[in-house]
Amino acid sequence: MAIQNQNDPDTVRQGAPAYLIMIDSFIQGSPDDVDLLISGSKLYGSYASAFTTEPARARRLTEKSRQYALHAFCIKLPKLCNISENHFPDFEKALQKVKKNNLPVLNTWGIAWAGWIQSRTEDWTAIADIPKIKAIMLRVVELDPSWDNGNAQLYLGVLNSFLPAAMGGKPELAKKYFKQAIRYSEGKNLMAKTLYAQYYARLVFDKQLYDKLLNEVLASPVVSPGMTLVNTLAREQAQKLLNESDDFF
């Protein structure tokens, strides 16, 4: 999408609602077009996470993102359409039936579901689905670790660094995934380093790593095909986090 190559977040913030309406109209006209559904899911999810501060609105947008992603998944894999209702062992087993040619719908569904949970952090029923998100991302990595420039590893890094080790978190596993995300994007996805600092370095109180990662983001070019917008947002977030460094540590 052209929107991903924008380097002015304010332009996107103001113009994206028109894109949302447009993609809705396209999907209404072709409700089973998988490519349109994937694009719609990504657009709604990205707008909700990057530009929406009102909780109720974020929940509405991420619900639309998840609906589009799930519909795309169900079109491609109708026999697996209801696996989200399974208990975890059966869910994990069912994911093994997803093959590499269906990575686009699996990856999109996992990202949309993660965004849906992120907008409902006060809902413990939603939080309880996090292991299923991890399982989806692990299946993506298993099928193709380089898929989407290592974005699945980035999600796994964040998901494994929510809690300190003493409370069941897995910070060292998170560290491994963050490093993989950076490697598979060839360092071009600046959000990987920003989130590595925000979630892992803060969690383990490593100020040296924290400052190093954030300064690297600030020194890196933001323009990269398909990643310019997210890199611009990553740089803004990195500056904010760096300003908080001395207070946090």
Side-chain angles (χ1 to χ4, degrees):
M1 292 183 290
I3 197 170
Q4 296 171 333
N5 292 315
Q6 273 282 348
N7 64 356
D8 184 354
D10 286 337
T11 297
V12 176
R13 183 181 291 107
Q14 295 169 21
Y19 278 92
L20 297 178
I21 294 170
M22 183 175 66
I23 198 73
D24 281 343
S25 67
F26 288 159
I27 292 173
Q28 188 173 10
S30 302
D32 294 332
D33 186 314
V34 171
D35 290 337
L36 279 178
L37 289 165
I38 288 174
S39 295
S41 177
K42 288 180 177 179
L43 187 58
Y44 268 92
S46 297
Y47 185 77
S49 65
F51 301 115
T52 306
T53 57
E54 182 187 345
R57 189 179 184 213
R59 288 192 291 270
R60 290 195 300 271
L61 294 171
T62 55
E63 175 62 23
K64 180 68 75 73
S65 173
R66 190 178 72 146
Q67 286 177 357
Y68 281 159
L70 180 57
H71 187 39
F73 182 83
C74 290
I75 290 169
K76 298 293 287 186
L77 296 158
K79 292 183 179 179
L80 300 181
C81 185
N82 297 317
I83 64 169
S84 62
E85 300 172 8
N86 293 355
H87 292 299
F88 183 74
D90 293 332
F91 177 84
E92 197 172 30
K93 183 178 179 180
L95 285 177
Q96 293 302 308
K97 298 178 182 178
V98 181
K99 304 306 178 185
K100 190 172 182 177
N101 62 312
N102 287 314
L103 264 174
V105 292
L106 179 65
N107 187 58
T108 302
W109 182 36
I111 291 172
W113 198 353
W116 184 86
I117 291 174
Q118 187 178 20
S119 67
R120 292 162 174 78
T121 53
E122 77 292 343
D123 182 349
W124 286 102
T125 302
I127 296 298
D129 283 337
I130 286 178
K132 292 181 178 179
I133 308 298
K134 287 184 180 180
I136 290 174
M137 295 307 176
L138 285 169
R139 182 58 178 159
V140 171
V141 171
E142 184 180 12
L143 290 169
D144 183 354
S146 66
W147 184 261
D148 196 21
N149 296 304
N151 210 34
Q153 287 92 330
L154 182 54
Y155 275 88
L156 287 167
V158 172
L159 290 169
N160 281 289
S161 54
F162 275 151
L163 299 171
M167 297 179 65
K170 297 180 179 179
E172 291 310 304
L173 184 59
K175 180 180 180 180
K176 182 189 81 169
Y177 284 127
F178 280 124
K179 286 185 172 182
Q180 288 178 358
I182 294 168
R183 185 171 77 250
Y184 280 115
S185 73
E186 298 179 343
K188 295 177 182 177
N189 183 354
L190 302 184
M191 191 60 78
K193 288 186 177 181
T194 300
L195 295 180
Y196 186 12
Q198 181 179 356
Y199 285 94
Y200 173 79
R202 275 191 170 191
L203 183 67
V204 299
F205 292 96
D206 189 335
K207 186 180 190 306
Q208 183 177 0
L209 176 63
Y210 182 87
D211 290 351
K212 174 179 177 291
L213 289 167
L214 296 175
N215 278 308
E216 286 177 357
V217 171
L218 295 176
S220 299
V222 297
V223 177
S224 182
M227 288 186 271
T228 301
L229 177 60
V230 72
N231 284 346
T232 303
L233 294 169
R235 181 182 280 184
E236 290 182 357
Q237 189 173 339
Q239 184 63 68
K240 179 177 180 293
L241 291 169
L242 194 60
N243 291 343
E244 299 170 353
S245 179
D246 290 337
D247 291 335
F248 185 85
F249 293 98

